[in-house]
Amino acid sequence: MRHPSDDRARPLPRRRQNRQRTRERVYATALSLFSRQGYAGTSVAQIAEHAGIGRGTFFNYFPRKDCLVRAWSQERVRKLNHRLAPHLEGPAGSVAALRACMSALGDLNEEEPELSAAMLTAWVQCGHPFEPRPHHLDALFALIIERGRARGEIRGTASPEQLGALLRDLYFGAVHRWATRHAEPEAAAGEPCRPCLHTELQLALSMLLRGLTPA
């Protein structure tokens, strides 16, 4: 008798494995080029050439170039959820969870600064911030706010959804400034040091929390 787990344990057919490896190679090649020369400065033809495939073959894996940006965004969400799981599933309060979320976001960007700056710029260029559907961060922040309000840790009359969108905007505003600064030449000697993204996110969150948490 076959058990359902047998299907999950069975290796993928060779053709499907090859297709998956090719897709991963195209994706990795595109990110490498975006990191070095920017999203706008990289063409589909360049990605295909460096990945060792034909230009037409590229579209078998990614119907449009901006699908690479969406794939990167989905991978970033997966990494964020993995890092935040202990903070969201444990007994930590809402303020600690919000700080952990901002810390994880800052770390994810600063671990790969060139790629993060390039992809966040591409994300804006593709118009994703202006899409009508809520961003993943809206729901994540709203969930933390809702739990904090139930515990009496968060006050105010704004809905969790409104506050989630506000925190999302706070994050993207800080990360946009960080990405812009990252593209600039290094500060000359004697000029003030640029704050790291992690520090700027925690500072912005602290200022907002002063109006949301009981004295």
Side-chain angles (χ1 to χ4, degrees), residues 190-205:
E191 292 185 11
C193 295
R194 301 163 182 167
C196 69
L197 178 60
H198 187 280
T199 301
E200 189 164 341
L201 286 172
Q202 293 296 335
L203 177 61
L205 178 60

Side-chain angles (χ1 to χ4, degrees), residues 80 83-84 99-109 198 202:
L80 177 63
R83 296 191 184 196
L84 285 181
R99 291 200 179 281
C101 186
M102 288 298 186
S103 180
L105 287 166
D107 290 343
L108 282 170
N109 284 295
H198 187 280
Q202 293 296 335

Side-chain angles (χ1 to χ4, degrees), residues 47-119:
I47 297 171
E49 180 183 357
H50 282 75
I53 62 173
R55 184 179 183 279
T57 305
F58 170 91
F59 299 104
N60 293 333
Y61 300 94
F62 299 96
R64 302 181 309 277
K65 190 174 79 165
D66 69 327
C67 291
L68 290 158
V69 180
R70 197 172 295 281
W72 175 82
S73 179
Q74 292 170 347
E75 177 65 11
R76 177 64 64 90
V77 167
R78 187 193 65 77
K79 291 180 179 179
L80 177 63
N81 289 341
H82 176 73
R83 296 191 184 196
L84 285 181
H87 302 279
L88 298 180
E89 296 170 359
S94 59
V95 172
L98 287 172
R99 291 200 179 281
C101 186
M102 288 298 186
S103 180
L105 287 166
D107 290 343
L108 282 170
N109 284 295
E110 293 193 318
E111 285 167 5
E112 298 178 300
E114 289 80 12
L115 176 60
S116 293
M119 296 306 289

